[in-house]
Amino acid sequence: MSDSYSTTDETTDSEAANSTDTGTEARRPGETLDETTPSIQEIPERETVIEATDLTVHYGDVEALKPVNVRLPEQEVTAIIGPSGCGKSTFLRCINRMNDMVDAARVGGELRYRGTNVYGDEVDPVALRRRIGMVFQKPNPFPKSIYDNVAYGLKIQGYDGDIDARVEESLRNAALWDEVKNQLDSSGLDLSGGQQQRLCIARAIAPDPEVILMDEPASALDPVATAKVEDLIDELAEEYTVIIVTHNMQQAARISDKTAVFLTGGKLVEFGDTNRIFENPENQRVEDYITGKFG
Amino acid sequence: MTGSSSSSDDARTDGDELARPEGGDHVRTDGGEHANPFATVGDDIERKQRIGRVFVAVCAASTLVGIVALVVLLADVLLEAWGWVTLEFLTYPPSRFIENYYPGGRGAGIFPALVGSILLIALTAVFTMVLGVGAAIYLEEYAAESRLKGFIEANISNLAGVPSIVYGLLGLAVFVRFAGFGESLLAGALTLTLLILPIVIVSSQEALRAVPDSQRHAAYGVGATDWEVVRDVVLPSALPGIMTGTILSLSRAIGETAPLIMVGAATSMFRAPIEDVSGIPVPDLFGPFAAMPMQIFDWARLPEGDFQHVAAAGIVVLLSILLLMNATAILIRNKYETR
């Protein structure tokens, strides 16, 4: 128990140091404590990309997501944390309508992407997914060559530029180019797990989406590969809006700017700056969860 | 106690010359310092191990029965056919006179039935690939889970068990009479298609189901449409499985006799079902045809003794084609599995 306390403290400290370096979000742990009214719905300094209004999901008769109201800012890393079965993946999959593939799933309320309700009649989920890329829990490259894996999204989206150049750029951005540049024709499945996941990230960013959803992208990876993916997420946030589900609180503290905490029952309990959530959560149960008392 | 157990440990690790001389029985009765720590649980395990060995023996014997029967059958047929499978046998039409089959005779054989069977199976392959794979894709990839879907799938599985003669009757009623194809190659191929369609659908569905959902999600995630997901991701992954199932079904169809009797295939034809259209040989879809199983049956029932050798030669040709098809299925599977 005391163990988890100390690790949490350590990581939040280093996170605070990191954000001082990056500037905009800088806030010493002490300052958050002094704030008089840390409102739950902090007005994001950046423009909102995703806005959920009373968003609910039912699987059959089971309520997987209680009404969620949240606004996710652009070009930041938002972490979604919470115990197993709390609806965090369900929420993530609402954003690019991957829940459509679950026959029993029903979505209520609104989820706006740049002001348009993605569950509106006029929205084609295929078009939506071209703006919102996704990286999954288990690396799932196609059983095709590395090149074809990255080029697939470009080809089906009718990219009319230089596909070769775009593939190279994506692999570079995914920090994989130097490792695979001489074996672009070999199968993506021949790579190690960590490389496969970076290949999947390259595949997701190749068609240049605006938002990248990540569903526990490092949970199947070893620590070294995890560290590489985390570094990568940091860099991706300069260009893309990243929304990442993780069950690893240290990871959330390390890499995210904003954190959303879901707790059992599919309820979004708290959302705000990562530093504040980890240093001074408003909700007692969030504090218990973050300090490792349950979950 | 602790001291003694540690000394026994030492004895064991020190080497065999110390541990071995004190035999198992001695150690157990002694009860003192070298007691077998597993003594009380040993008997039960011993009994279970014996049951396990009996089980393995029964399984191995079952395997052996099948293999021995097959080998005996094959050896018998091969011995009967020895010397009768000649180039003439493969390239000449059948004859009523046994002398024509003798080596150095005028030449007689299985040619029309061989060509008939190959055309029949080729046509059946085209029909089943289109209908069977189409149905499997619809059921697996598109149809929503519902009672109707469950009902349809249960019925398809049941259809796989319907005797082939029933399909023959259906083919006679629908294709020969109602559709007016007559006793033709086309009617035969369509009947065989119906016969193996349930098996092809079920095996194709299994192949499609074996494609992990993570692959589909990956494609959807980069903005693929349903059709693109099926075309680019699901089908390429499932194709080896689909091909294997289809080829194995076709090798069942090529040996079928009953449905062909019903749709009126000739037992013996002197001409292959091939037309000459301005110099190019074209399959005569609407003409009469013979197939190998029926030709073999025709030979086997002839009274003259040497015709048994001719029938055996026919069986060897049929089995060779079967073997060829199965080998193709295995090759396809291996080629794509190792990728």
Side-chain angles (χ1 to χ4, degrees):
Chain A
M1 200 46 92
S2 63
D3 228 44
S4 64
Y5 270 113
S6 68
T7 45
T8 316
D9 287 344
E10 266 171 38
T11 46
T12 39
D13 276 347
S14 67
E15 166 63 18
N18 279 343
S19 54
T20 323
D21 292 342
T22 46
T24 50
E25 290 296 311
R27 195 179 270 128
R28 300 299 301 175
E31 288 176 352
T32 8
L33 284 166
D34 293 340
E35 267 184 12
T36 43
T37 49
S39 66
I40 293 187
Q41 300 291 328
E42 285 178 60
I43 293 143
E45 295 147 41
R46 296 171 184 269
E47 229 176 291
T48 299
V49 184
I50 309 283
E51 180 178 6
T53 314
D54 291 330
L55 182 75
T56 59
V57 176
H58 289 79
Y59 292 126
D61 294 332
V62 182
E63 188 178 44
L65 214 56
K66 291 204 166 66
V68 171
N69 291 286
V70 70
R71 280 186 289 173
L72 305 180
E74 67 174 0
Q75 282 179 311
E76 287 200 314
V77 178
T78 301
I80 303 174
I81 62 173
S84 302
C86 67
K88 52 192 192 300
S89 283
T90 301
F91 174 67
L92 192 77
R93 281 156 189 269
C94 279
I95 297 175
N96 67 344
R97 289 185 63 171
M98 288 299 263
N99 281 334
D100 287 15
M101 275 156 241
V102 183
D103 285 338
R106 274 182 300 117
V107 179
E110 279 190 351
L111 191 121
R112 295 187 173 276
Y113 171 81
R114 296 261 179 228
T116 305
N117 183 13
V118 303
Y119 286 94
D121 291 337
E122 74 283 4
V123 173
D124 186 336
V126 172
L128 174 73
R129 291 182 201 123
R130 291 181 177 190
R131 302 297 306 139
I132 303 181
M134 187 156 192
V135 177
F136 298 85
Q137 183 168 1
K138 259 181 66 185
N140 55 354
F142 300 124
K144 303 174 193 281
S145 71
I146 292 170
Y147 179 92
D148 286 337
N149 261 285
V150 182
Y152 183 68
L154 299 169
K155 282 176 181 162
I156 57 168
Q157 297 193 17
Y159 182 72
D160 52 7
D162 183 349
I163 291 190
D164 288 0
R166 188 75 200 130
V167 167
E168 177 175 342
E169 193 186 340
S170 307
L171 284 168
R172 278 187 193 283
N173 287 343
L176 190 60
W177 175 253
D178 289 333
E179 291 161 58
V180 301
K181 61 185 172 190
N182 295 323
Q183 53 176 92
L184 291 177
D185 289 332
S186 64
S187 170
L189 295 174
D190 293 342
L191 298 174
S192 73
Q195 288 174 323
Q196 286 189 13
Q197 194 60 302
R198 278 178 283 147
L199 178 63
C200 292
I201 292 173
R203 180 177 63 193
I205 60 180
D208 201 26
E210 186 178 2
V211 179
I212 299 170
L213 309 178
M214 297 188 168
D215 191 353
E216 304 191 17
S219 67
L221 306 181
D222 64 70
V224 176
T226 301
K228 281 188 182 164
V229 168
E230 283 182 10
D231 289 347
L232 182 54
I233 291 169
D234 228 33
E235 283 165 33
L236 291 177
E238 287 167 20
E239 229 180 304
Y240 305 98
T241 304
V242 178
I243 303 170
I244 176 171
V245 164
T246 175
H247 59 221
N248 180 334
M249 279 175 285
Q250 284 76 42
Q251 185 175 66
R254 278 196 296 270
I255 62 176
S256 68
D257 305 301
K258 295 275 195 293
T259 297
V261 186
F262 282 76
L263 290 180
T264 316
K267 195 164 169 16
L268 173 61
V269 180
E270 198 161 347
F271 174 74
D273 283 341
T274 298
N275 292 342
R276 188 189 61 71
I277 295 269
F278 276 86
E279 284 300 307
N280 187 22
E282 290 193 333
N283 186 297
Q284 183 58 41
R285 292 181 64 219
V286 169
E287 186 169 347
D288 290 348
Y289 174 68
I290 285 171
T291 53
K293 282 186 184 154
F294 77 95
Chain B
M1 191 60 198
T2 44
S4 65
S5 75
S6 81
S7 79
S8 82
D9 278 350
D10 286 346
R12 237 173 265 157
T13 47
D14 271 355
D16 290 348
E17 68 279 353
L18 273 175
R20 278 273 166 77
E22 317 168 6
D25 283 330
H26 169 70
V27 168
R28 209 177 285 173
T29 49
D30 170 300
E33 42 182 5
H34 295 304
N36 178 1
F38 306 119
T40 51
V41 286
D43 294 343
D44 192 35
I45 294 175
E46 187 71 20
R47 200 175 64 86
K48 285 182 182 169
Q49 296 278 33
R50 265 203 308 279
I51 295 174
R53 279 193 290 272
V54 170
F55 180 68
V56 172
V58 169
C59 291
S62 312
T63 316
L64 221 58
V65 169
I67 289 177
V68 167
L70 198 67
V71 167
V72 168
L73 201 74
L74 273 180
D76 181 53
V77 168
L78 283 175
L79 283 177
E80 285 267 319
W82 192 256
W84 291 80
V85 185
T86 57
L87 189 63
E88 285 80 31
F89 185 73
L90 293 177
T91 50
Y92 277 84
S95 163
R96 286 279 151 191
F97 305 104
I98 191 69
E99 309 85 68
N100 291 338
Y101 292 94
Y102 290 144
R106 278 177 53 204
I110 201 170
F111 180 70
L114 180 62
V115 174
S117 270
I118 289 173
L119 288 177
L120 198 62
I121 252 23
L123 276 175
T124 309
V126 173
F127 295 147
T128 42
M129 278 301 256
V130 173
L131 295 177
V133 178
I137 289 176
Y138 178 74
L139 287 172
E140 234 10 78
E141 302 295 320
Y142 291 100
E145 289 299 329
S146 66
R147 274 161 189 244
L148 181 66
K149 188 192 165 196
F151 179 75
I152 290 174
E153 286 183 334
N155 276 291
I156 289 174
S157 302
N158 285 338
L159 283 176
V162 171
S164 56
I165 190 111
V166 177
Y167 284 102
L169 279 168
L170 185 72
L172 177 65
V174 175
F175 301 125
V176 178
R177 300 269 164 76
F178 180 73
F181 294 149
E183 298 168 347
S184 63
L185 196 60
L186 185 64
L190 287 170
T191 307
L192 288 183
T193 302
L194 285 187
L195 174 71
I196 61 170
L197 202 51
I199 309 170
V200 171
I201 292 174
V202 170
S203 66
S204 299
Q205 271 186 287
E206 261 156 32
L208 292 169
R209 220 172 291 148
V211 178
D213 268 345
S214 64
Q215 290 289 312
R216 296 184 180 85
H217 291 167
Y220 279 121
V222 288
T225 60
D226 290 343
W227 154 238
E228 283 165 335
V229 172
V230 170
R231 183 194 63 189
D232 300 334
V233 175
V234 179
L235 266 188
S237 290
L239 207 57
I242 291 175
M243 292 291 282
T244 312
T246 307
I247 294 174
L248 292 180
S249 306
L250 286 173
S251 31
R252 185 196 158 184
I254 201 174
E256 279 293 344
T257 322
L260 295 182
I261 295 176
M262 294 312 296
V263 298
T267 48
S268 206
M269 283 272 300
F270 297 99
R271 194 180 67 86
I274 287 186
E275 279 179 314
D276 203 29
V277 178
S278 52
I280 307 155
V282 173
D284 181 10
L285 293 185
F286 297 98
F289 68 103
M292 281 191 286
M294 301 196 58
Q295 180 67 65
I296 292 166
F297 171 66
D298 192 46
W299 281 325
R301 68 178 178 176
L302 289 175
E304 213 158 332
D306 273 352
F307 269 110
Q308 298 317 309
H309 294 293
V310 178
I315 292 172
V316 169
V317 175
L318 179 58
L319 284 181
S320 305
I321 288 186
L322 266 171
L323 212 62
L324 213 65
M325 290 173 72
N326 289 4
T328 313
I330 291 167
L331 277 180
I332 288 175
R333 198 175 56 204
N334 289 352
K335 177 164 185 266
Y336 288 93
E337 262 181 359
T338 48
R339 204 176 52 168

